[in-house]
Amino acid sequence: MSQSPNMRFPQMSFVGIDGVLVRFAAQVSTDANKAALAFHAHISKSEGRGILETAPSLTAVFLKLDIESDLNAVLDHIRAEMMSRDWFETLNQQKRFWRIPCSFDGPQLREAADLANVSETQAIAEITASQTRVLTLGFAPGQPYLGNLDVHWNIPRMTGIAHNVPAQALVIALRQLIIFTNATPTGWRHIGQTAFKCFDKDRAEPFAFQAGDLVQFEQASRSEIDALQGDTLGGARLEVVS
């Protein structure tokens, strides 16, 4: 990322008596997400200097403060770090790039395609051509929010709930994709199936993804996905790119 975030940002606001939120945009964007992740990587090095904990979200970083410390000094430190832009240097580091097989045969693929005003064939072509980023992890261990797709994929969640979408399913809403860690109810539309385990407690690294990873899906048949269920990463391939 070569340009700076919107000049109105970053902004700092208080959350309760011991929290600070540093925001990088009012809406989700790739630039704001990159800035939030970079600032989190930078400011987390300050933990133990009046900052007890840090956590990134899609466009912001939450900092939990030690209320027994000199809060004025801690806040001055956070403001200085926000404005220093030193953390910008981390934005162009090498990235991890995942290629993940997926069968696009989910029960709501046609509905999602109709909402995006494309055919099912076009939907599959567009999604498999897209390099998405892990914007954040959450809701379940290691579960990624992947984005952003083109604007016509800004389709809403369902008004109802699908009660039993399986683990490793690919779902879509709001220009984002998710691979489910566990079987779960959801308002997101189920469009495909992977064999990829986002979280596996028996792996050396239980969380497969890191925030900022790049992800691209490759079309596969359901029989191919079924055959990959015993594979540690469900047929996914990981490489490091500049």
Side-chain angles (χ1 to χ4, degrees), residues 11 39 87 96-97 99 114 128 185 194 202-203 213 236:
Q11 294 178 351
F39 183 71
W87 43 272
R96 304 188 331 153
F97 184 20
R99 299 182 189 274
D114 287 345
T128 54
T194 76
D202 296 323
R203 281 196 305 246
D213 284 359

Side-chain angles (χ1 to χ4, degrees), residues 38-47 51 54 61-63 77-78 81-82 87:
F39 183 71
H40 172 256
H42 180 76
I43 198 67
S44 63
K45 298 173 185 176
S46 296
E47 290 183 10
I51 300 174
T54 62
V61 179
F62 173 77
L63 300 94
H77 171 68
I78 295 170
E81 294 298 327
M82 285 168 50
W87 43 272

Side-chain angles (χ1 to χ4, degrees), residues 24-238:
F24 293 89
Q27 297 180 336
V28 176
S29 70
T30 297
D31 283 351
N33 180 251
K34 286 182 177 180
L37 296 180
F39 183 71
H40 172 256
H42 180 76
I43 198 67
S44 63
K45 298 173 185 176
S46 296
E47 290 183 10
R49 297 172 54 189
I51 300 174
L52 299 177
E53 183 180 351
T54 62
S57 68
L58 292 175
T59 60
V61 179
F62 173 77
L63 300 94
K64 182 178 176 62
L65 309 184
D66 180 358
I67 59 174
E68 296 185 358
S69 64
D70 182 345
L71 289 181
N72 286 330
V74 175
L75 293 173
D76 286 345
H77 171 68
I78 295 170
R79 291 188 187 98
E81 294 298 327
M82 285 168 50
M83 304 313 298
S84 73
R85 297 295 198 267
D86 290 344
W87 43 272
F88 246 67
E89 296 177 5
T90 67
L91 290 179
N92 294 314
Q93 291 178 348
Q94 289 183 322
K95 299 294 183 184
R96 304 188 331 153
F97 184 20
W98 294 90
R99 299 182 189 274
I100 301 176
C102 179
S103 62
F104 288 89
D105 53 0
Q108 292 155 319
L109 174 62
R110 174 174 292 182
E111 182 180 344
D114 287 345
L115 288 168
N117 199 31
V118 296
S119 69
E120 290 182 61
T121 300
Q122 287 174 303
I124 295 169
E126 288 186 9
I127 291 170
T128 54
S130 299
Q131 287 188 12
T132 59
R133 294 179 65 256
V134 178
L135 303 174
T136 193
L137 302 173
F139 187 77
Q143 185 164 291
Y145 288 77
L146 306 168
N148 284 324
L149 298 174
D150 287 342
V151 68
H152 58 274
W153 285 105
N154 192 24
I155 63 176
R157 299 179 183 89
M158 298 184 296
T159 55
I161 296 293
H163 291 285
N164 192 29
V165 175
Q168 303 161 8
L170 183 69
V171 300
I172 191 168
L174 308 171
R175 298 181 66 187
Q176 295 176 29
L177 299 162
I178 294 176
I179 303 173
F180 276 165
T181 297
N182 306 307
T184 185
T186 186
W188 293 49
R189 288 174 174 82
H190 180 191
I191 63 170
Q193 192 67 34
T194 76
F196 187 84
K197 293 183 179 179
C198 304
F199 172 79
D200 185 343
K201 64 180 178 61
D202 296 323
R203 281 196 305 246
E205 295 292 339
F207 284 23
F209 289 124
Q210 299 173 7
D213 284 359
L214 302 176
V215 179
Q216 188 164 5
F217 292 95
E218 298 178 337
Q219 187 173 9
S221 68
R222 177 53 70 103
S223 62
E224 289 172 322
I225 295 301
D226 291 343
L228 290 170
Q229 290 296 337
D231 185 83
T232 304
L233 290 174
R237 306 188 306 280
L238 174 63

